[in-house]
Amino acid sequence: MKNLIVTADDFGGSTAVNAAVEQAHRHGILTAASLMVAGEAAEDAIIRARHLPTLGVGLHLVLVEGRPVLPAQKIPDLVDASGHFRTNMALAGANFFFRRHVRDQLAAEIEAQFAAFHATGLPLDHVNAHKHFHLHPTIAGLILSIGRRYGLAAARAPVEPIDLLSKIEPVSNGLAGRIAAPYARSVAARFRGAGLAVPDRVLGLAWSGHMTRDRVAGLVEHLPHGLTELYCHPATEDAYPGSAPGYAYRAELAALLDPSIKAAILGSGIRLGRFADFPIATGST
């Protein structure tokens, strides 16, 4: 069977994102969204989510390029002078791995973000991390140990099959992709070994911010058997506070709302759902 989860990241980052999530779920193919609990528009996102009971809302763990839940003085090694997370992921990752007191601060912040999500009263559908920072083994381990206490049952492991993308248009796996791929496969195995539901593959990395109508339609046409997560970044505006330069947010929203794509999914027998609708993943990758 072909099963598909369609996820929007950065839910709560802006009202432009939140409005797009609501539109794409009510009228399009979006089935899940990942919430930034300390995002600028988190409260607006939570209110919308409470009126969308069939939307699978998960935790979009933010540990880079965003605001923490904890006060800056409690996590001084994670934030800069402005109180925001540092942007150098390589340096942050080294500190997480080699410095015990930094790991303790990291664990406290991850716990705080899980607790903040729990306080919303929304069921925890899944977890992933901003910029895929959960590929870091220390962060992955903390997600598992802390997430268990909050009912964590599913997670993203960004293993993207380049051969599938190449059926739609020529694409090459750049240096960043080649470096990340072994970590993604390792995290997938680790999460599955801990009993989490993990999609067999994830689509949205190589074309991040540019999941256009033709690309989404092509991926739907060539969708393999098993469980696939297609993630995207829809918004009602292409530029908003915190947006990524060059991202085609409105084009991604249009793809999710395109009636021909929805018809193709329904006509091909693809089953759409949340992570919670697919509690067992086979792990074919």
Side-chain angles (χ1 to χ4, degrees), residues 33-230:
S34 303
L35 175 67
M36 295 172 149
V37 292
E40 295 290 342
E43 285 303 316
D44 176 76
I46 293 165
I47 291 170
R48 292 176 191 264
R50 288 173 178 158
H51 292 88
L52 299 169
T54 56
L55 179 70
V57 183
L59 172 62
H60 194 51
L61 192 67
V62 178
L63 299 166
V64 62
E65 297 181 4
R67 297 190 309 175
V69 169
L70 291 176
Q73 60 268 28
K74 290 192 175 182
I75 49 170
D77 293 288
L78 304 187
V79 298
D80 59 21
S82 72
H84 288 72
F85 289 117
R86 303 179 191 277
T87 59
N88 189 327
M89 293 176 67
L91 180 59
N95 286 333
F96 296 161
F97 194 82
F98 291 109
R99 301 174 69 187
R100 175 61 183 271
H101 72 282
V102 179
R103 287 199 302 277
D104 290 343
Q105 294 175 33
L106 175 68
E109 175 61 25
I110 291 175
E111 175 94 36
Q113 292 192 32
F114 269 103
F117 188 99
H118 181 73
T120 69
L122 298 169
L124 179 62
D125 184 64
H126 60 274
V127 70
N128 53 53
H130 193 49
K131 302 287 186 179
H132 306 297
F133 216 176
H134 60 303
L135 295 186
H136 192 292
T138 301
I139 296 174
L142 289 170
I143 285 173
L144 286 174
S145 61
I146 295 169
R148 293 179 193 279
R149 301 198 297 274
Y150 294 92
L152 178 63
R156 174 189 298 163
V159 179
E160 185 169 49
I162 297 299
D163 58 339
L164 173 57
L165 306 188
S166 298
K167 294 179 180 179
I168 290 91
E169 63 182 66
V171 63
S172 62
N173 194 7
L175 178 60
R178 292 195 298 273
I179 292 173
Y183 290 95
R185 289 192 290 269
S186 175
V187 164
R190 187 175 184 181
F191 283 174
R192 289 191 185 105
L196 298 187
V198 179
D200 298 313
R201 65 199 63 83
V202 172
L203 306 173
L205 281 78
W207 295 331
S208 183
H210 301 277
M211 294 292 283
T212 58
R213 185 262 170 212
D214 288 347
R215 286 172 170 170
V216 174
L219 291 171
V220 167
E221 180 183 355
H222 296 285
L223 196 73
H225 289 274
L227 179 59
T228 302
E229 181 190 8
L230 186 156

Side-chain angles (χ1 to χ4, degrees), residues 264-281:
I265 290 173
L266 297 175
S268 61
I270 295 171
R271 183 185 173 200
L272 276 171
R274 306 160 294 183
F275 281 81
D277 296 319
F278 308 109
I280 299 174

